[in-house]
Every structure is written in structure tokens, then in C-alpha cells.
Amino acid sequence: MKLSCQLSYVNQTVKISECIMYSLLCSPMSYVKLCLETQFGIDMQCWNTDEDFRGIKMIPPGLHYIHYSGVSKGTGDVSPRSGFMHYFQKKEFLVKLWDKNLEDMSKDEVTDESIQRLKDNLLTLDRHLGPYPYDIWQKWKLLSSQITEDLVNRFSPESGLIRASVELLSTPDKDRPRGVKTSIDTEDKNQETPGQSDAKRAKRITAAEKEASMLPNLQPVPGASLRFTEIPHDKFPPGSTPEEITKHYLDQSYTLELMIAQHVEPLHIIGELQFAYLCFLIGHSLEAFEHWKNLVILFCSCDEAIHKYRSVFFHFIRTVEVQIEEMPEDFLADIVMNKNLVYKKLREFFKTAYVSKVDGRLLTMIERFKDNLTDKLQWDFTGLDKDEEDERPVIVKIDEPIDD
């Protein structure tokens, strides 16, 4: 039996036809009834929905990112994106409820009776479902290859929803800032002039401190934040000598090992890198982008770890290469104007790979990655065998003493 449906894609309209019912029964499926004027998507594809749209069918088993945004009927403004990652099992039938008042996914659970009733009515429901866009499937698998179901549960917010704009707790009226005076350091208090009033002492605070004192101390709503692995602040082992401290700051393999130790297996840190990237690319989370960037910088700051964790660095190169291909150009455009730290650290990484005499398949991947970056972004990686300008020795001329 062949059915057809039509979805309005963002920036394009695509006719979807010949949806085979057998494929629906043998593949996972996502069903959700949305209100009008809503953007709805899965993985890297997004549609503008109409009243006939109910969800997606023929979804390949595995990890997928379901996301949505409300659209204003009058102005067409789009609300910040929300969504969730879900690991679909074979023949899974996932149903979510939509709250029209909140214009968001409802927290209410769908009863087994309701789900079964929908399953029994698949013939009628099928014409309201759009098939999974298989043209993005291969790219999606590359971007999410190391993300396991356990990692999804570990990194996702406790609420289950990944939001571009994290909800913040409002400040009670009694706690609202009213230009209160900044506390004076103990040292300043000891040196204060006798009889000097608090008002006069308060004038000594800086403009930044004054602005900070006027801002409310907003905190994320409990359960709304992503739960990434915290990058250790200690860059060296306890009891390190000054020489060892310098070594660990130049080569942050110790910090990377601390990160890897917090995972069940080493490759899970690549899964975290992929998870953070997808939350940024698809979920529009700047918090996730910062974590992704910090992980890339950490990998690029290692030397000894390249040899100890060859498999991890092999997947790191392959992952980042695919990620940068999908990265919005605004984030990677002008390496001078934007002071692109990712470019600087990748340059250090390539230089370290040559100095450390990385060989074999890993070196081949590094060479290909470097060439692709040069072709795509015109990033200059020449002169890796020379010292950078800020790394060259500095000669200080000291005036000769004047004889009496």
C-alpha cells in the first residue's frame, strides 16, 4: 500500500511519496501532535509543519536528535530551539504529547492504552507521517558514531530536554540587587581613616564591581543544565616539582588522562566530544559549544598522550574533521579578526605530531586533515618546523655599568 504526504522544509518544499507501510512496521517511529506554525526536525533536518503533520516514520534504529521550535503566527519569529536525544530500538513506537498552552513538550506520560490505540490505527495515521530523510543518514552516523545510550543519559539534563536557552531561576524581591555597597577587603578596613563613613569607602569600588553588584545572581533551574564531565583545574599531580609543573602545562596529557579516567572506556571521551558538538550544531547551545571547544583545545595540547592513546586520537581526528565540515562558517571564518583559538591549537597539535614523530595511519590522517582545513578555510599551516614568533628566545640588552 502506497501513501503520500507533503512537508514544508525550511527554505524548500519537498514532495515525499511512496511511503511503504511495511517499512513503517519494521522501523522505529516517532509520533507527536504539534500545533500550527511549529518547526520540527530530526537530526540535521528541519521542517515547517502544518495541521496534518503528526511525526516521523522509518527512523533507523540508533541515536537520533528530535528538536522543535515555536513560530509566531504574526511575525514569524522563531523561539529558541528545544529537543532531546533518544536511542531508538527496533520497531519502537515513541509518542510525545504537546502542550498547546506552553507550546512545548508535555511532561505527562502517555498511557500504554493510548499508544496501543495509535498502533492499531496505523493505516489512518500513516498519511500524517513524514519518512526519515535518509540523505543525511550517513553523515549523521559519522557525527554520532561514539555516542552510546549510556552517554546520552549521562550528559542530558535531568529534565531530559536540551534547550538553546537554559531556564534561569528568578530572583525573589527580597534578594534583588539595589546598588548595595561592595564589601571592603579586610586589608582596606584595617587601613581605613578613623571616622570615615561607609558611604565614602564605598566610592572606592571599581565600575565593574558596581555593575556586578547591580546584576541578579541568576542560577539555572535545577535539572535544566547539560551534565558534561568537568575538565580538571589541576594541570599537574600533587607534589610536582617546579620543573614538572612547567612540563605538565606545556603537555596536558595528565589532564586528558584525568578526563578519560572518569569514563568507562577511553573512547567515551570522543562520545562526549560528539555529544557536545551536536548540542551546539542542532540544539543551538552555546554552553555545549564552549565545552566542545575546551575539549578540542585539551586534545591539541597533548604530546605523550598521542602515543599512549593512539586509538582515541585517531577517532579525535576523524571526528573533528567531519565536525568542522558542518560547522557554521561564522564560527570559523576569519582567524585573525576572531582570534580563533581552535586554529591556533590545531596548529600546535600538527606541530607536536611532527616533533613527536607520529607515524603510520595516524600521521596520514593528520596530514589529510591539515590539507582539508587549508582547502576549506584557507588556514595557513606552513612553517610548522619553525618556532612561532611568541616562542622565540628573547634577547635583553643590559646597559654596562658606568664606572665611577
Side-chain angles (χ1 to χ4, degrees):
M1 181 177 181
K2 297 181 180 180
L3 302 172
S4 66
C5 61
Q6 182 168 317
L7 297 175
S8 176
Y9 283 69
V10 177
N11 299 326
Q12 60 178 323
T13 300
V14 178
K15 182 73 174 180
I16 302 174
S17 60
E18 299 187 349
C19 303
I20 303 174
M21 183 62 69
Y22 178 80
S23 297
L24 170 63
L25 294 174
C26 292
S27 301
M29 171 178 155
S30 175
Y31 173 84
V32 55
K33 185 172 182 179
L34 303 175
C35 61
L36 288 174
E37 305 296 335
T38 301
Q39 286 188 3
F40 181 83
I42 182 169
D43 300 339
M44 297 178 293
Q45 186 64 67
C46 185
W47 302 276
N48 286 322
T49 64
D50 60 21
E51 60 183 359
D52 291 330
F53 179 72
R54 295 294 182 272
I56 307 294
K57 62 183 177 181
M58 301 166 60
I59 302 174
L63 176 72
H64 294 282
Y65 196 146
I66 311 296
H67 48 91
Y68 54 91
S69 300
V71 181
S72 173
K73 294 181 180 179
T75 63
D77 294 335
V78 181
S79 65
R81 181 169 288 181
S82 299
F84 60 93
M85 289 195 192
H86 184 78
Y87 221 90
F88 283 89
Q89 306 298 328
K90 290 184 178 180
K91 300 184 180 181
E92 182 175 356
F93 192 98
L94 178 66
V95 181
K96 294 289 185 179
L97 298 177
W98 183 259
D99 191 319
K100 290 184 177 180
N101 295 325
L102 297 177
E103 293 188 353
D104 202 350
M105 290 284 184
S106 173
K107 296 181 180 180
D108 296 336
E109 294 290 334
V110 183
T111 63
D112 294 338
E113 292 78 7
S114 298
I115 295 176
Q116 187 58 49
R117 190 161 54 249
L118 289 170
K119 287 183 177 180
D120 295 339
N121 198 32
L122 283 179
L123 285 175
T124 303
L125 181 63
D126 183 77
R127 65 188 180 90
H128 297 286
L129 303 175
Y132 180 86
Y134 274 85
D135 57 320
I136 67 171
W137 176 228
Q138 293 301 323
K139 178 71 71 174
W140 173 256
K141 287 195 296 184
L142 291 174
L143 290 170
S144 60
S145 59
Q146 299 299 323
I147 305 177
T148 65
E149 186 172 7
D150 289 339
L151 291 180
V152 171
N153 296 331
R154 174 179 173 178
F155 299 138
S156 295
E158 293 179 5
S159 65
L161 288 178
I162 301 168
R163 299 186 184 276
S165 179
V166 178
E167 299 174 88
L168 299 174
L169 290 172
S170 59
T171 305
D173 185 68
K174 63 183 181 64
D175 296 332
R176 293 184 184 278
R178 293 178 172 83
V180 294
K181 297 183 289 293
T182 302
S183 60
I184 308 300
D185 294 336
T186 304
E187 182 180 352
D188 291 339
K189 287 185 177 180
N190 294 335
Q191 297 177 359
E192 65 186 32
T193 304
Q196 187 179 32
S197 66
D198 289 343
K200 290 183 178 180
R201 290 199 304 271
K203 292 180 180 179
R204 296 204 302 267
I205 66 174
T206 65
E209 289 174 333
K210 184 176 181 180
E211 291 179 3
S213 69
M214 295 293 293
L215 295 175
N217 184 23
L218 298 179
Q219 298 295 328
V221 171
S225 298
L226 292 162
R227 298 177 292 175
F228 293 121
T229 306
E230 184 177 358
I231 297 178
H233 297 292
D234 296 332
K235 305 298 182 183
F236 51 87
S240 298
T241 64
E243 182 181 357
E244 291 171 338
I245 292 175
T246 301
K247 173 183 176 296
H248 286 298
Y249 268 95
L250 295 175
D251 175 11
Q252 297 189 23
S253 297
Y254 171 76
T255 305
L256 180 63
E257 287 202 68
L258 292 180
M259 286 282 292
I260 291 176
Q262 298 182 63
H263 290 280
V264 176
E265 57 181 79
L267 280 180
H268 282 181
I269 195 171
I270 303 299
E272 182 168 1
L273 181 73
Q274 293 178 346
F275 185 93
Y277 177 81
L278 293 176
C279 288
F280 158 67
L281 180 70
I282 300 173
H284 301 170
S285 169
L286 291 180
E287 174 191 2
F289 174 72
E290 286 299 316
H291 189 69
W292 173 84
K293 183 178 68 175
N294 290 334
L295 283 178
V296 171
I297 291 172
L298 177 59
F299 271 98
C300 292
S301 303
C302 295
D303 186 346
E304 292 182 359
I306 299 177
H307 301 279
K308 185 174 181 179
Y309 298 101
R310 285 182 64 92
S311 177
V312 173
F313 276 85
F314 173 83
H315 285 89
F316 167 72
I317 293 296
R318 187 162 65 176
T319 294
V320 175
E321 184 174 13
V322 177
Q323 289 176 342
I324 288 183
E325 288 180 2
E326 300 298 322
M327 181 75 74
E329 292 186 3
D330 292 345
F331 285 83
L332 298 171
D334 194 318
I335 61 177
V336 177
M337 295 298 293
N338 295 341
K339 298 180 181 179
N340 195 317
L341 191 58
V342 173
Y343 160 75
K344 181 179 179 180
K345 286 299 179 179
L346 282 173
R347 184 178 175 86
E348 291 180 10
F349 175 71
F350 295 146
K351 184 176 182 178
T352 300
Y354 294 136
V355 173
S356 300
K357 298 181 179 180
V358 174
D359 56 7
R361 189 180 179 189
L362 182 57
L363 180 60
T364 302
M365 289 196 65
I366 291 174
E367 288 283 1
R368 186 188 68 185
F369 181 35
K370 178 170 65 68
D371 293 341
N372 288 343
L373 288 175
T374 301
D375 294 339
K376 177 181 173 60
L377 302 171
Q378 287 74 53
W379 285 1
D380 181 16
F381 293 108
T382 59
L384 295 177
D385 56 338
K386 300 178 182 178
D387 291 333
E388 300 291 344
E389 187 68 31
D390 56 353
E391 295 178 352
R392 295 175 182 174
V394 178
I395 300 176
V396 180
K397 293 184 178 180
I398 302 177
D399 294 335
E400 296 181 0
I402 301 176
D403 296 333
D404 294 336

